[in-house]
Amino acid sequence: MEVLKIKKGQAIAKRKEKVKQWYLVSEGSVIQKLSFAEISLGKNTIVGILESDWFICDYIAGEDSVLLVIPCKNADDLKKLLAANERYRSIFLRTAIEQRHRMFALYSDLSMRTRQFHAFVQTVYNDYKSMCSSLGLDEQAFPQMNYFNMIEMEHKAQPWEILNSVSLVKNYLKDYIQLMGRDDSLSVGVIMEASAQMHRAMLGVREMVKYLTYHKDILLAETGGDMFSLYFDLAIRAGRRQLDIAPMKKQLSILTGFLQKMKIYDAQLIESRVKQYEEYDFARTGAASITTGMDVVSEDCLGHILEFSGLPQEDINAFKSTVEQFKALPDMLSTDSDAYKLRKQIAAAFYDVYFGVFMQAVENEEEVSPIIEMFLNFGFMDVQIAGEEYTKALYDLTGRLRQFQSEHIYTIFNWLKSIYKGEKEPSKNEFDLDYFGALLEQRKNGDLTEDQVKKMQHDQKEKVRFEIKNMFTSANRITSGRITTFCPILCEADLINSIDKLAVTAEKLEDALNKTRMVDYSVFYREVQFPSPGLDILNHEQIMLEVLPDIILMPNAGARSMMWQETADKRRDTPARFLFPIFTAADLDDMMMEAIGRFRWEMCRKIQGVRWNDIREKSLTSEYCDYLQFYRKNQNLSVDAKDKLKIALTRAKNNYREVFAKDYENWIKYESKGSFRLNKVARDILILYCPFTAEIREELKSNPVYQNAFAKLERDNVKKAQRLSALYDKYQKAGGEITVQMQDNLAFYQM
């Protein structure tokens, strides 16, 4: 087995990554983590034993650790492993049973906390209503309770399973392991049964984590408008009338204690809200009530946003006037000249307003209100344009903005912040020039001097302006899908369902991305130079590295995705940039496949350079171009296939990339399931350059259409894996350490 040495805090596997093998903890410990739910895995525990195709959890080294790589993903692999290494039977049996026991313990704890949370929320809200009634004060509207129900679990661990596990671990573990370790079939059965139970329990844990994460803002939210605010507001109003506020203070104290006990809230947030409450003088009169989500519909949101932007007053007045004229139209989506002219005027000024608001927000973060967040993340500007119900829903959504964020997923506001902070570089413009290239072009044209170029080269503010002008402005319009009637202000007419159903969350995007990765396993892999410090053995070796795309959410309710860049810069190991609307009623899986198909094409073009369509240099793009260019003379195509291809080229306006993207979608959706949609020539190219995973190949290999191609691919992969294993052995013997990246490279040829 390969040995991995991992430093404390280093990620061994991340949630939503492919499971390529298991890892046995030989020394140290690993934290199995899903949001606030954690389990510590010590010596002889197995990372990955409960996983299926994709990791449900993150696995992070709790200390400097040594892991053994187990070439195992399923029962067949496990049976081969135990047959070759009998000494692992008892270790794996004990590990599976004890890890299942700990997983059930976590499941039970979360189940209890979830029930407590639901009961507590219901109780404190009913108490609030009773207090308002007894004091003769109006209740503040609290629409969150309209959608608050007890969790309905899809994945459950049954009570008998948990009791069985407890009894086994406490009373009969040694005898049970001796009995089940007598042959491989018994051992594999016990281990895989425990793995399946752990997997189901962990899916249940994920449901409960998601439930608590989604609903926790009911009690305490960063944006306010929560239960804490209700009681605080009630105490303020009672204090004005010189009523007894002791019951409210008692409830706030109980609420604070519960928040701390749940261990799902940020400690600093609790501390700051409690401090605000404790320092408040309830005896003073004329105090303002705490703002809630319901108040936003009565505010001048457009005025608030424009004043915050810091733009000159004449520009503010002009924009306000245009918006008022737009609101007065009988049909804001009309295609007549008046409506078109107003939308064009709004679009011309919108991005200046956005830049001004953005700069104020990043330089004065403490002054950013929910209304400003609604504008920056969703494109909201006016209650009348967005509609009252949608405005309230958007306000509530600002307390859950985290669901639009992950390691590779950004709202447009967070994306621009990452550029402002220097974490990301601006995207290329329509002439395929990056920020510095555009500055040099302006210098060449005489628009900038040499000194200005040097000054602007590292000006983060100008980089943000460049990104807004070049990427944001055009991508916002295109992803909306409404080229002729597009308005950058979020409109009620564009929101054709509830906000929660339309919201393109990070989880939905990751699921859509993974559906394609489960079929086309190599799509985001590319060859990079192996980093071999101090050793020459692997210095000239290329390593396969998976680089997932950055996905940026445009502030609109749209229907189109875009593949904006295949890499972030000239280097191959930088992420692509995909663009999606933040709200959509379209099929997200189809939108993702379309973007990935275009990425496949453009990435090949980048790698091949000027010879991307030269058939003498075999590649995806060169073979597809040759196939499309000379299809009329191709004897491998039937008359019917040629007619269909002619129609496809006409629809795509002779754009070969778009024809390929449509074929790629059929390849992923249908051909991977054995349903033929492509002609023989297109299929042969895709088999070669976009191969299916080993599991899909196994299901389809009996079909003569795929047999030869699959057999050749697997022979080539076995040769490459054997060569790499021998090379890694030599590398280890010379003093090198096998890294997770190197192990992933080997696993690539086993997929």
Side-chain angles (χ1 to χ4, degrees):
M1 290 186 183
E2 301 286 353
V3 176
L4 291 180
K5 293 184 178 179
I6 306 293
K7 297 292 184 184
K8 180 180 179 180
Q10 185 178 344
I12 297 147
K14 294 181 180 178
R15 192 175 73 87
K16 299 286 185 180
E17 283 185 349
K18 295 174 187 172
V19 179
K20 300 164 189 170
Q21 60 265 315
W22 295 352
Y23 302 92
L24 179 68
V25 181
S26 178
E27 296 176 22
S29 64
V30 173
I31 305 300
Q32 179 183 353
K33 183 177 176 63
L34 180 63
S35 187
F36 52 80
E38 294 184 3
I39 296 177
S40 179
L41 305 177
K43 186 174 180 180
N44 285 339
T45 53
I46 299 175
V47 172
I49 192 172
L50 67 83
E51 307 288 356
S52 182
D53 295 319
W54 306 94
F55 283 103
I56 305 173
C57 315
D58 294 317
Y59 293 88
I60 302 160
E63 56 190 297
D64 291 353
S65 303
V66 177
L67 310 179
L68 301 181
V69 179
I70 306 170
C72 179
K73 292 188 293 182
N74 52 44
D76 291 337
D77 293 342
L78 182 61
K79 191 168 185 177
K80 292 175 188 174
L81 181 71
L82 296 184
N85 303 275
E86 286 189 23
R87 63 192 180 90
Y88 285 127
R89 281 187 196 165
S90 60
I91 294 174
F92 280 33
L93 279 166
R94 180 178 292 274
T95 292
I97 294 165
E98 290 183 342
Q99 279 189 232
R100 176 181 62 186
H101 179 66
R102 271 178 279 182
M103 178 55 65
F104 281 156
L106 175 63
Y107 179 95
S108 299
D109 174 63
L110 264 176
S111 182
M112 180 184 67
R113 287 160 69 185
T114 303
R115 290 194 302 272
Q116 288 176 340
F117 180 84
H118 178 262
F120 184 81
V121 170
Q122 294 282 12
T123 300
V124 293
Y125 185 61
N126 289 335
D127 289 347
Y128 168 77
K129 294 169 75 174
S130 297
M131 282 187 189
C132 288
S133 177
S134 63
L135 293 170
L137 297 173
D138 292 335
E139 297 174 25
Q140 286 275 18
F142 199 61
Q144 293 96 313
M145 290 302 294
N146 296 336
Y147 312 103
F148 180 68
N149 299 301
M150 184 56 190
I151 187 172
E152 293 182 9
M153 298 284 290
E154 181 181 351
H155 303 95
K156 298 178 183 178
Q158 299 298 330
W160 65 263
E161 292 178 287
I162 298 171
L163 293 173
N164 174 270
S165 175
V166 171
S167 183
L168 178 59
V169 169
K170 286 188 176 180
N171 303 314
Y172 307 106
L173 184 57
K174 185 177 179 181
D175 295 338
Y176 187 75
I177 290 173
Q178 285 179 344
L179 175 64
M180 294 297 133
R182 289 183 178 179
D183 71 36
D184 290 341
S185 294
L186 285 172
S187 299
V188 170
V190 170
I191 293 166
M192 295 312 296
E193 180 185 38
S195 171
Q197 288 177 312
M198 281 189 275
H199 183 75
R200 178 161 37 84
M202 195 66 216
L203 289 174
V205 167
R206 185 176 68 175
E207 287 182 55
M208 290 184 279
V209 165
K210 186 177 178 181
Y211 174 84
L212 291 171
T213 302
Y214 184 84
H215 287 296
K216 70 177 187 176
D217 289 348
I218 284 179
L219 293 181
L220 192 75
E222 292 179 6
T223 56
D226 47 41
M227 205 79 77
F228 196 97
S229 296
L230 287 186
Y231 277 103
F232 194 177
D233 169 74
L234 184 60
I236 291 172
R237 289 188 287 139
R240 285 191 205 152
R241 297 192 181 187
Q242 298 182 341
L243 300 171
D244 182 16
I245 63 170
M248 284 74 85
K249 286 188 171 184
K250 182 180 178 182
Q251 281 288 63
L252 284 167
S253 178
I254 293 170
L255 179 53
T256 302
F258 184 79
L259 295 172
Q260 294 167 337
K261 176 186 171 185
M262 283 298 292
K263 298 180 181 177
I264 61 175
Y265 294 93
D266 180 71
Q268 289 184 333
L269 176 61
I270 297 174
E271 184 181 345
S272 66
R273 294 290 293 280
V274 170
K275 184 179 180 183
Q276 180 191 16
Y277 148 66
E278 289 178 342
E279 292 179 351
Y280 194 87
D281 182 5
F282 291 98
R284 63 179 174 169
T285 58
S289 181
I290 305 297
T291 302
T292 70
M294 295 298 293
D295 299 329
V296 71
V297 296
S298 60
E299 290 191 26
D300 177 12
C301 297
L302 178 63
H304 176 62
I305 292 164
L306 292 174
E307 290 301 323
F308 187 83
S309 72
L311 292 176
Q313 192 60 47
E314 60 189 54
D315 292 345
I316 290 174
N317 293 340
F319 190 81
K320 270 186 176 180
S321 174
T322 305
V323 172
E324 290 302 322
Q325 292 176 60
F326 180 63
K327 287 160 59 177
L329 290 172
D331 179 10
M332 286 186 274
L333 296 181
S334 171
T335 55
D336 66 30
S337 58
D338 289 341
Y340 175 78
K341 182 180 177 182
L342 287 171
R343 285 194 297 267
K344 192 173 180 180
Q345 288 175 349
I346 289 172
F350 178 89
Y351 299 98
D352 291 333
V353 175
Y354 194 98
F355 179 73
V357 172
F358 173 84
M359 292 310 305
Q360 293 287 346
V362 293
E363 292 174 359
N364 305 283
E365 286 191 48
E366 68 280 356
E367 296 179 16
V368 176
S369 67
I371 293 171
I372 298 300
E373 287 189 320
M374 289 160 68
F375 170 66
L376 290 169
N377 292 289
F378 309 134
F380 166 86
M381 290 196 88
D382 184 84
V383 176
Q384 191 176 332
I385 294 176
E388 287 193 8
E389 289 306 312
Y390 283 124
T391 299
K392 295 171 190 173
L394 291 169
Y395 184 97
D396 291 339
L397 200 56
T398 59
R400 305 194 301 274
L401 284 171
R402 68 182 77 86
Q403 66 183 324
F404 297 102
Q405 301 162 20
S406 73
E407 184 179 357
H408 292 282
I409 297 172
Y410 305 78
T411 64
I412 184 62
F413 178 45
N414 284 333
W415 176 254
L416 293 173
K417 275 203 295 186
S418 71
I419 291 174
Y420 184 71
K421 293 176 181 178
E423 298 165 357
K424 297 285 183 179
E425 286 298 312
S427 305
K428 293 178 182 178
N429 65 14
E430 59 187 347
F431 302 109
D432 203 36
L433 293 172
D434 61 16
Y435 176 70
F436 185 59
L439 292 180
L440 294 180
E441 187 68 18
Q442 290 180 74
R443 184 192 66 185
K444 180 180 174 182
N445 296 336
D447 298 327
L448 292 176
T449 65
E450 184 69 34
D451 287 342
Q452 286 175 316
V453 169
K454 287 180 180 178
K455 184 179 179 182
M456 293 173 67
Q457 184 178 349
H458 303 292
D459 189 328
Q460 299 306 126
K461 185 175 179 179
E462 287 303 317
K463 287 183 179 182
V464 170
R465 195 192 302 273
F466 180 86
E467 186 77 341
I468 290 175
K469 180 181 178 182
N470 292 285
M471 186 276 279
F472 184 16
T473 303
S474 58
N476 199 26
R477 182 166 172 259
I478 295 169
T479 55
S480 76
R482 299 174 308 280
I483 304 300
T484 56
T485 61
F486 172 69
C487 177
I489 299 176
L490 190 67
C491 299
E492 183 177 16
D494 300 329
L495 299 164
I496 57 175
N497 210 323
S498 70
I499 286 294
D500 283 345
K501 288 182 179 177
L502 293 171
V504 179
T505 63
E507 185 173 12
K508 290 179 184 177
L509 284 168
E510 287 168 347
D511 287 344
L513 189 75
N514 287 342
K515 282 178 183 175
T516 298
R517 289 171 71 208
M518 285 177 72
V519 178
D520 181 5
Y521 70 91
S522 63
V523 61
F524 294 114
Y525 279 88
R526 69 247 0 218
E527 282 189 336
V528 297
Q529 190 67 34
F530 175 75
S532 178
L535 293 172
D536 296 331
I537 297 169
L538 299 176
N539 269 351
H540 302 292
E541 189 72 19
Q542 294 286 313
I543 191 168
M544 296 302 294
L545 179 69
E546 188 176 36
V547 183
L548 297 181
D550 286 333
I551 301 177
I552 308 157
L553 295 168
M554 296 292 108
N556 66 59
R560 290 191 61 187
S561 63
M562 289 188 71
M563 198 292 297
W564 189 261
Q565 285 179 212
E566 67 279 0
T567 57
D569 56 38
K570 293 177 181 178
R571 294 174 298 140
R572 291 185 191 178
D573 61 345
T574 55
R577 292 179 181 178
F578 290 2
L579 310 177
F580 281 74
I582 199 165
F583 303 113
T584 190
D587 189 305
L588 204 55
D589 294 343
D590 289 348
M591 292 169 71
M592 184 63 75
M593 273 183 274
E594 185 178 41
I596 292 175
R598 289 171 178 154
F599 165 78
R600 265 287 192 192
W601 184 271
E602 294 299 336
M603 192 67 203
C604 183
R605 281 190 58 169
K606 185 181 185 73
I607 291 170
Q608 294 302 115
V610 294
R611 295 187 175 181
W612 68 274
N613 61 352
D614 187 343
I615 193 59
R616 292 171 297 180
E617 292 282 339
K618 296 290 185 181
S619 70
L620 170 66
T621 50
S622 68
E623 293 204 43
Y624 233 84
C625 284
D626 184 68
Y627 148 63
L628 293 175
Q629 191 172 358
F630 302 109
Y631 77 90
R632 291 184 180 89
K633 300 178 182 179
N634 197 322
Q635 295 180 354
N636 291 317
L637 293 173
S638 66
V639 174
D640 183 51
K642 289 177 182 178
D643 288 342
K644 288 180 179 178
L645 201 46
K646 182 181 178 181
I647 294 169
L649 283 163
T650 302
R651 284 177 179 168
K653 298 178 182 177
N654 225 38
N655 186 321
Y656 291 174
R657 185 189 74 172
E658 295 309 301
V659 176
F660 167 76
K662 190 63 183 175
D663 282 351
Y664 183 82
E665 185 177 341
N666 286 324
W667 178 246
I668 300 298
K669 285 176 74 173
Y670 303 109
E671 295 265 340
S672 64
K673 296 178 176 65
S675 176
F676 298 142
R677 297 297 175 94
L678 305 180
N679 62 56
K680 181 183 183 302
V681 179
R683 184 180 299 113
D684 287 347
I685 297 173
L686 282 159
I687 286 174
L688 182 60
Y689 294 106
C690 307
F692 296 139
T693 58
E695 291 82 1
I696 295 174
R697 296 199 302 269
E698 184 66 27
E699 291 176 7
L700 298 176
K701 71 179 182 181
S702 60
N703 192 310
V705 172
Y706 297 112
Q707 256 174 6
N708 292 336
F710 286 174
K712 182 181 183 303
L713 174 67
E714 285 167 12
R715 284 195 302 271
D716 290 346
N717 282 346
V718 167
K719 285 180 184 177
K720 289 173 182 175
Q722 288 174 344
R723 176 185 163 275
L724 272 177
S725 293
L727 207 57
Y728 285 4
D729 287 343
K730 186 178 178 182
Y731 180 74
Q732 274 188 298
K733 287 174 183 176
E737 290 185 4
I738 303 298
T739 64
V740 173
Q741 192 180 74
M742 290 172 65
Q743 189 56 44
D744 284 349
N745 181 48
L746 180 59
F748 174 82
Y749 297 105
Q750 298 165 343
M751 285 194 283

